[in-house]
Amino acid sequence: MAIYHLSTKPISRSSGRSAVASVAYRSAIKIHDERLGKTYDYTKRKGVIHTQLITPNDISIGRDDLWNMSEKIEKRSNSRTAREIVINIPHEIMGHNREQGIFLTENFAKLLSSRYGVAVDFAIHEPDRMGDNRNYHAHLLLTTRKLEMNDNGIVQLTDKSQLELSDTQLINANLPRAKEELKIIRKDWEILANQFLENNNISERIDCRSNADRNLEELPTVKMGWLATELERKGIRTELGDKNRAIRAYNATLKQMKELELKQSKFDEKVRRTAEIFINSM
């Protein structure tokens, strides 16, 4: 089973974050924040494989204009100015054909842009040198408002997208609640990635369900992060490392027990058949 990961979180001023700074860092580019009068320059950052801006109906707009517009239109001190979705791109695809991995991510970005009417600015990162070498991933930054062109040909951000509505607003609009919508997005990524795996003759598949939902008794390991991973590589034990070792030990014991149960079942069946043959021969 290939690695599945999809998570989402808002880019909010209340946490000291901005859409302009976020896209500059993730895409390793230079952007000037007109609202704050500050320039973010991450052009020397390494590890960014590919960046691309997807817009609904192929509306033409530059990154600088888009994300400065996103910051300027929000007036509150705790406004959300972007939404981030992080996905793990199966390393089986990236190692087999990197262009296919980029195309897969582009297709997912287009799906989100078309469905919610938002711009999607994505950046694909290679695995961190200090982390898991299978961790090819993409950061997708979505505008919180729909991107549209008015009758005068002016590009503008309009109403809040479905992903930013409260559950009350969603219910009144006869739309799935936020948690249900996230499940739909997670399933969409599973289906799309598995299609690409199949098309590239790769037998591995991803599954968006948790171990519990898949009726698996095995426990999932926890995410280590680059710091704990690097410490473990240096032979320094960490709390996260100890937790994963305990989980792996539990899963190994569970596997051994199942193997023993299977062997015992086969032995019992052999004894039963032998007894039947003996009785029938009398």
Side-chain angles (χ1 to χ4, degrees):
M1 182 67 67
I3 298 173
Y4 182 94
H5 176 80
L6 185 150
S7 61
T8 181
K9 59 184 176 182
I11 304 297
S12 176
R13 286 180 188 156
S14 60
S15 59
R17 307 173 73 195
S18 79
V20 174
S22 296
V23 73
Y25 180 75
R26 283 152 182 75
S27 297
I29 57 177
K30 180 179 179 180
I31 294 185
H32 181 70
D33 189 324
E34 296 173 2
R35 185 178 70 89
L36 297 177
K38 184 176 181 179
T39 298
Y40 299 96
D41 186 355
Y42 294 102
T43 51
K44 294 182 180 180
R45 186 166 185 244
K46 306 297 183 182
V48 179
I49 296 173
H50 179 83
T51 65
Q52 191 171 342
L53 176 60
I54 304 296
T55 60
N57 300 313
D58 293 325
I59 292 174
S60 179
I61 187 171
R63 275 195 179 95
D64 294 56
D65 292 336
L66 174 68
W67 295 113
N68 273 295
M69 185 189 303
S70 180
E71 284 289 337
K72 288 178 180 178
I73 197 171
E74 306 297 347
K75 306 302 180 183
R76 294 182 295 137
S77 61
N78 63 344
S79 292
R80 296 176 177 180
T81 56
R83 175 164 295 277
E84 180 178 37
I85 294 178
V86 181
I87 53 174
N88 182 281
I89 309 170
H91 71 95
E92 292 86 353
I93 291 180
M94 293 299 288
H96 174 71
N97 187 333
R98 183 169 289 192
E99 290 303 315
Q100 280 293 295
I102 294 172
F103 189 42
L104 164 60
T105 308
E106 179 185 350
N107 273 259
F108 186 55
K110 287 182 176 179
L111 183 154
L112 296 173
S113 178
S114 176
R115 177 184 294 164
Y116 301 113
V118 298
V120 182
D121 199 345
F122 73 87
I124 298 177
H125 294 180
E126 63 185 10
D128 193 298
R129 290 180 300 169
M130 296 178 288
D132 190 331
N133 59 12
R134 301 170 297 172
N135 187 27
Y136 288 97
H137 59 282
H139 296 264
L140 297 91
L141 289 182
L142 286 64
T143 54
T144 57
R145 294 177 180 270
K146 296 178 181 179
L147 184 70
E148 300 177 325
M149 182 180 291
N150 65 20
D151 295 338
N152 297 320
I154 298 175
V155 178
Q156 56 188 7
L157 290 168
T158 57
D159 298 332
K160 285 288 186 179
S161 79
Q162 179 183 338
L163 296 178
E164 307 308 318
L165 301 181
S166 67
D167 278 344
T168 300
Q169 291 172 314
L170 292 168
I171 292 171
N172 290 337
N174 199 28
L175 294 169
R177 297 187 181 212
K179 287 186 177 180
E180 295 305 314
E181 191 65 27
L182 177 57
K183 288 181 180 179
I184 293 172
I185 293 173
R186 288 175 59 83
K187 186 64 177 180
D188 286 336
W189 174 242
E190 174 196 310
I191 293 172
L192 188 59
N194 284 339
Q195 287 177 346
F196 270 73
L197 285 164
E198 182 178 0
N199 292 342
N200 284 274
N201 299 314
I202 299 171
S203 61
E204 295 289 331
R205 297 292 183 269
I206 63 172
D207 194 322
C208 68
R209 297 174 298 168
S210 66
N211 282 14
D213 289 339
R214 292 159 59 194
N215 295 317
L216 296 178
E217 297 180 31
E218 291 85 357
L219 297 176
T221 54
V222 297
K223 185 175 181 179
M224 292 280 289
W226 71 266
L227 179 57
T229 300
E230 180 64 12
L231 290 173
E232 290 283 339
R233 285 179 175 175
K234 292 179 179 179
I236 303 173
R237 295 176 71 95
T238 64
E239 183 178 345
L240 290 173
D242 288 341
K243 186 172 184 178
N244 277 341
R245 277 184 283 274
I247 291 172
R248 292 190 185 100
Y250 170 84
N251 289 340
T253 301
L254 188 65
K255 182 179 180 181
Q256 290 175 354
M257 290 175 62
K258 289 182 177 180
E259 290 174 347
L260 288 173
E261 288 175 0
L262 180 60
K263 289 180 180 179
Q264 184 64 48
S265 177
K266 290 181 178 179
F267 177 76
D268 292 343
E269 178 65 17
K270 185 176 181 179
V271 170
R272 185 187 66 79
R273 290 181 179 178
T274 302
E276 285 182 351
I277 293 172
F278 177 75
I279 293 172
N280 291 334
S281 66
M282 293 179 63

